Amino acid sequence: MSFTRPEPPYYAVIITSTLDADNLDGYAEMDARMGELGRAQPGYLGRESKTDADGHELTVLYYRDAESIAAWKRHPEHREAQRRGREQWYAGYHIEVARVERAYGFERE
Amino acid sequence: MSFTRPEPPYYAVIITSTLDADNLDGYAEMDARMGELGRAQPGYLGRESKTDADGHELTVLYYRDAESIAAWKRHPEHREAQRRGREQWYAGYHIEVARVERAYGFERE
């Protein structure tokens, strides 16, 4: 995993999305800006993300609590990015807000 | 997204894992068998998964409820696969069990 999690409970936002390959003007800049701004939000913990060659992305963003997620969703600059995403960059996306109840794992010595 | 979700609440198991590229004997067969067996478990809803070239995988498995997850975790054949995974195939993994509280999205017309 790419960052150290706190003890549960905490929150995960699971995003499956598909970019529209023909309409990516301005996307890279906005994506970089949203990454920078998003990482600076109160309650942001970290992320896991994988994208395949045809623009299908699976991302999990982690937050301390549900209020941190709601606050980021209504951030003015992020709202504008969401609007442009729906109008232009994304063919579709699906977002799930989930409460992590338990976690475990192992790492080879 | 790769399958149609029910209305929340439902459950997500978020798995980040790294395969040990030098110890994959028998892995493909077991992975195929666990996929087949896992899809047939009561309460299984579907999955999203992405793997990059160096064996890092991000997978989300979806279930109707927490009991379905617990039952699959203690399935005898799956327990044996978990044991071999820790001993041989995986350099590490991290598993989070999360309750999906809300979901939304859009699909371009």
Side-chain angles (χ1 to χ4, degrees):
Chain A
M1 56 183 178
S2 66
F3 68 98
T4 304
R5 272 77 158 167
E7 286 297 307
Y10 52 91
Y11 273 76
V13 179
I14 304 163
I15 306 171
T16 54
S17 59
T18 304
L19 289 169
D20 179 352
D22 298 326
N23 284 292
L24 294 181
D25 283 2
Y27 170 74
E29 297 84 338
M30 182 68 97
D31 189 48
R33 172 66 183 149
M34 287 304 109
E36 180 191 12
L37 202 59
R39 284 190 296 277
Q41 297 306 300
Y44 175 82
L45 298 174
R47 78 199 288 263
E48 304 284 350
S49 186
K50 300 260 175 271
T51 307
D52 57 26
D54 52 355
H56 295 285
E57 184 174 334
L58 175 58
T59 294
V60 186
L61 300 171
Y62 292 91
Y63 294 88
R64 187 65 271 178
D65 49 41
E67 176 47 30
S68 302
I69 298 168
W72 172 232
K73 192 182 176 192
R74 61 177 184 257
H75 185 292
E77 215 175 320
H78 187 207
R79 284 174 65 106
E80 172 63 11
Q82 291 168 55
R83 189 191 61 76
R84 290 190 63 191
R86 282 188 300 269
E87 282 186 5
Q88 185 187 344
W89 299 314
Y90 286 100
Y93 61 70
H94 188 256
I95 295 177
E96 293 159 312
V97 177
R99 181 178 186 271
V100 177
E101 297 181 341
R102 55 201 177 82
Y104 57 96
F106 96 106
E107 205 76 37
R108 182 94 34 95
E109 298 295 302
Chain B
M1 58 183 175
S2 66
F3 69 98
T4 303
R5 272 77 157 168
E7 286 297 306
Y10 52 92
Y11 272 77
V13 179
I14 304 163
I15 306 170
T16 53
S17 59
T18 304
L19 289 170
D20 178 352
D22 298 327
N23 284 292
L24 295 181
D25 283 1
Y27 171 73
E29 297 84 338
M30 182 67 96
D31 189 48
R33 172 66 183 150
M34 286 304 109
E36 180 191 12
L37 202 59
R39 284 190 296 276
Q41 297 306 300
Y44 175 81
L45 298 174
R47 78 198 288 263
E48 305 284 349
S49 186
K50 299 261 175 274
T51 308
D52 58 27
D54 52 355
H56 295 285
E57 184 174 334
L58 175 59
T59 294
V60 186
L61 301 171
Y62 292 91
Y63 295 88
R64 187 64 272 179
D65 49 41
E67 176 47 31
S68 303
I69 297 168
W72 172 232
K73 191 181 176 192
R74 62 177 183 256
H75 185 292
E77 215 174 321
H78 187 207
R79 284 174 63 106
E80 172 63 11
Q82 292 168 54
R83 189 190 63 75
R84 290 191 64 192
R86 283 188 300 268
E87 282 186 5
Q88 185 187 346
W89 299 315
Y90 286 100
Y93 61 70
H94 189 255
I95 294 177
E96 292 159 313
V97 177
R99 182 177 184 272
V100 177
E101 297 180 342
R102 55 201 177 82
Y104 57 95
F106 96 107
E107 206 76 37
R108 181 92 37 91
E109 297 295 301

